[in-house]
Amino acid sequence: MSLKIGGKTYTSPDSILQGIPKNGATKSKNDFYSGSATLTEAQLDSAANVFSRGQVVTLYHPNYLRWYHAENKKTVELARLEVAQEAITTVLNATPIVDFGLMIFNLDFPYEGDRDGGRIIANFGQANTDIISKVASIEAETNTPLCETLTEAFRFFSSRSVKYAFEDTNCYKRECGSFSYTGNTPLMMRQPSPAQAMFPHLRKDAVVMHTLF
């Protein structure tokens, strides 16, 4: 720790910064801390008593205060998916020079091991407007197979073959209950060249292509 007092910077080993802070300290450089790293039980008890009587102060961000005190402010209720879609769209619009990719979860329903994982629906280098369109069309259903989807991402970046993208299959009402679902399968898969296998970052142009719905 360092503290600037009276134009001079002091650090933790300095004696005036040793010990515990004083309650009601003045601007005197010798009145901030008790000045001793060795404290008695009485000093510790006294400090604990002062701390327990202290007033809790809540600090608010200026943007929150402006919103809170604004007149005629509107409240909009959004589902979690809508909030996520809006956040992702904002990032994509704000960073046009970055190449983004997009993955989506498989249905992962109705039982453990059914339709696990996820697949890539937008490869790196696609126009951000295309990815935004895909983000806007995503619907929320069933579960979140995050572990398997991250495994699929690892396989993509390490130039390995598609695995979980093939796990998504049709699910009819007799199995899914209240809805029917059309599974997604890769349209095309190109085997990486030896150079791509050695340097995965070269896999930029549609090594694996998937449909969204």
Side-chain angles (χ1 to χ4, degrees):
M1 185 187 71
S2 62
L3 186 65
K4 192 171 184 178
I5 305 173
K8 182 179 178 181
T9 300
Y10 297 89
T11 58
S12 296
D14 294 321
S15 60
I16 67 170
L17 298 184
Q18 296 292 318
I20 56 177
K22 289 184 179 180
N23 185 36
T26 66
K27 292 184 178 180
S28 170
K29 68 178 183 180
N30 296 320
D31 196 27
F32 282 97
Y33 291 85
S34 60
S36 174
T38 303
L39 303 173
T40 65
E41 277 304 316
Q43 287 176 311
L44 289 172
D45 291 341
S46 176
N49 290 333
V50 170
F51 182 80
S52 65
R53 296 194 303 269
Q55 183 179 358
V56 177
V57 177
T58 303
L59 302 179
Y60 296 95
H61 193 279
N63 287 341
Y64 173 79
L65 293 175
R66 282 190 285 269
W67 170 84
Y68 184 82
H69 292 288
E71 295 182 3
N72 302 321
K73 58 178 178 285
K74 297 180 180 179
T75 301
V76 179
E77 292 186 5
L78 297 174
R80 287 182 295 177
L81 177 62
E82 293 175 302
V83 174
Q85 288 170 320
E86 183 178 313
I88 294 172
T89 299
T90 300
V91 171
L92 288 167
N93 283 327
T95 49
I97 63 173
V98 176
D99 286 342
F100 289 94
L102 182 65
M103 297 189 73
I104 190 172
F105 296 123
N106 291 336
L107 187 65
D108 193 40
F109 187 81
Y111 305 109
E112 178 65 30
D114 288 349
R115 304 172 180 87
D116 278 342
R119 70 271 182 193
I120 297 165
I121 62 173
N123 206 348
F124 292 97
Q126 286 189 230
N128 283 1
T129 52
D130 294 338
I131 300 178
I132 289 172
S133 177
K134 287 181 170 63
V135 168
S137 62
I138 293 173
E139 297 179 356
E141 288 285 357
T142 67
N143 305 307
T144 309
L146 182 60
C147 183
E148 295 91 344
T149 305
L150 290 176
T151 299
E152 189 75 19
F154 163 75
R155 296 181 69 87
F156 174 80
F157 283 113
S158 59
S159 292
R160 302 187 184 189
S161 61
V162 173
K163 177 176 174 57
Y164 288 105
F166 292 120
E167 299 294 324
D168 207 37
T169 59
N170 296 341
C171 191
Y172 303 105
K173 285 189 176 181
R174 64 177 179 269
E175 183 182 3
C176 282
S178 61
F179 65 93
S180 295
Y181 174 80
T182 302
N184 298 271
T185 55
L187 292 178
M188 174 180 62
M189 185 180 76
R190 301 175 185 169
Q191 293 297 328
S193 67
Q196 289 173 327
M198 292 174 63
F199 303 101
H201 62 275
L202 296 178
R203 300 182 61 196
K204 189 173 181 179
D205 295 322
V207 177
V208 183
M209 301 292 293
H210 302 270
T211 57
L212 178 59
F213 293 107

